[in-house]
Amino acid sequence: RFLISVLALSTLAMLVGADGICGYHPQTDISDEARVDLDVRSIKERLTEGQLIHARNVYSGGGHSMSVARLNLLDPPGAYSYPKGTKVNGVTKGDQKGISGFIQKPVQWLDDRSNVTVDVQYSIGSACNVGGLYTFQQAILEGCFIDGVGTLEIISPTDVAGSGMK
């Protein structure tokens, strides 16, 4: 039953276009949730091959759906606090195109210049598929935030020090 429901959601998400579904326009975007069928397929493949740890990683970390980047900010300036859902912009690996996502859980840091880890869920439409897929070399890194030194823009922060961060 679960797989049928997931496949129905996936098909429904593909059918939603500019005209909606028979004129109905959903208020929320379920595109990311609709990709859970790909995660279920990956879990099934891992279980069939006896790779229980990899199956569990996809189950708990997603991959095709709810793909998350763990960004390490080295020595970030100032003191900031960002709520869940704050938009983050950056550039992708490879083609250097713009990519965005949203902070997955609240994060804050003080002006002590220590490193900070921020979990950012990729926006709908990102080609990046990581999460649990990363643990067994099935991740698709094209379209992910660029590795190494780069610039991130965090939009509309609740700024402890009173100025924005870029």
Side-chain angles (χ1 to χ4, degrees):
R1 243 180 216 212
F2 177 70
L3 285 176
I4 292 170
S5 298
V6 169
L7 292 173
L9 279 175
S10 182
T11 304
L12 179 62
M14 289 187 291
L15 294 175
V16 177
D19 296 329
I21 306 167
C22 298
Y24 172 74
H25 296 278
Q27 293 183 1
T28 58
D29 188 337
I30 61 161
S31 300
D32 200 46
E33 289 84 353
R35 296 181 61 167
V36 75
D37 62 326
L38 299 172
D39 288 342
V40 170
R41 181 181 68 191
S42 185
I43 291 168
K44 183 179 176 184
E45 289 169 356
R46 300 290 73 81
L47 290 173
T48 301
E49 295 173 13
Q51 300 174 347
L52 301 178
I53 292 173
H54 294 314
R56 185 176 190 195
N57 288 340
V58 175
Y59 175 79
S60 62
H64 300 293
S65 65
M66 306 300 179
S67 203
V68 175
R70 176 154 284 166
L71 305 176
N72 295 308
L73 307 180
L74 305 177
D75 206 20
Y80 294 92
S81 175
Y82 299 99
K84 175 181 177 175
T86 300
K87 187 172 183 178
V88 177
N89 292 325
V91 295
T92 62
K93 292 177 70 87
D95 58 13
Q96 303 280 312
K97 290 184 179 177
I99 185 76
S100 66
F102 298 89
I103 292 179
Q104 194 177 38
K105 57 187 175 190
V107 64
Q108 68 179 21
W109 62 87
L110 302 174
D111 197 13
D112 61 1
R113 308 293 286 190
S114 59
N115 298 341
V116 177
T117 300
V118 180
D119 290 336
V120 177
Q121 182 176 337
Y122 286 98
S123 295
I124 303 299
S126 168
C128 181
N129 294 318
V130 287
L133 300 173
Y134 195 80
T135 62
F136 55 96
Q137 290 78 39
Q138 293 294 313
I140 298 173
L141 301 177
E142 204 61 37
C144 296
F145 284 104
I146 195 166
D147 286 338
V149 179
T151 300
L152 289 176
E153 179 182 27
I154 303 177
I155 311 295
S156 301
T158 303
D159 179 355
V160 176
S163 63
M165 179 185 161
K166 201 168 189 181

